[in-house]
Amino acid sequence: MKFEYAKFDSLKVDLDLLDEIMHQFGLVRAGQWDYERVTYDRKFEFQRDTFYLRVQGHAISGDVGGRHAVIRLMTPLLGKHYYPHGVEYGDGEYFPPSLVEQCEKILTQIKSQLETVQL
């Protein structure tokens, strides 16, 4: 599920600030990066299913590995995890309405903070 109306794709932010803000809302970068891309995930366990709120971005200047980068964010996603295959984001997936609402609230709060520090 794409959160296109969140309008993250126009935001550009320094990597260190982005790490800090995402961490405040439980989104973790961990080892999910390369020198040009970053991915932040927050895990939700809902009944017997596992879901991930994912925010991705790519470096428009600098180097993620060197920790000096400006990141342009992409449209946030909500996916359902299927063991052992991975995460599916398709339109055919069922996402509990309360989970979608919670993710929307988190994304709104993140965007509010990012807009004050964006480049």
Side-chain angles (χ1 to χ4, degrees):
M1 167 181 212
K2 290 184 178 183
F3 292 98
E4 293 190 40
Y5 51 84
K7 304 289 185 200
F8 268 48
D9 55 346
S10 64
L11 298 173
K12 296 179 272 185
V13 65
D14 177 79
L15 177 62
D16 287 334
L17 288 170
L18 184 59
D19 281 347
E20 203 175 291
I21 291 169
M22 292 299 190
H23 181 74
Q24 291 174 19
F25 294 95
L27 282 101
V28 179
R29 178 161 53 109
Q32 300 173 119
W33 62 273
D34 63 22
Y35 294 99
E36 299 173 351
R37 295 177 295 222
V38 294
T39 300
Y40 297 89
D41 284 329
R42 179 167 171 177
K43 182 179 181 179
F44 294 91
E45 293 182 3
F46 194 85
Q47 296 173 359
R48 294 186 185 131
D49 295 319
T50 301
F51 299 90
Y52 288 93
L53 175 60
R54 175 166 281 180
V55 178
Q56 299 172 301
H58 63 277
I60 57 173
S61 70
D63 181 325
V64 174
R67 302 214 34 91
H68 299 288
V70 174
I71 306 296
R72 180 186 304 262
L73 294 175
M74 300 167 66
T75 302
L77 303 167
L78 180 60
K80 182 176 180 181
H81 183 261
Y82 291 95
Y83 178 83
H85 303 292
V87 181
E88 293 291 331
Y89 304 98
D91 293 332
E93 298 299 327
Y94 171 75
F95 299 105
S98 62
L99 175 62
V100 172
E101 185 178 313
Q102 184 178 3
C103 290
E104 288 171 341
K105 182 178 178 182
I106 291 167
L107 292 171
T108 298
Q109 292 171 333
I110 290 171
K111 184 176 181 195
S112 176
Q113 286 200 23
L114 290 174
E115 288 176 331
T116 65
V117 298
Q118 80 168 333
L119 303 173

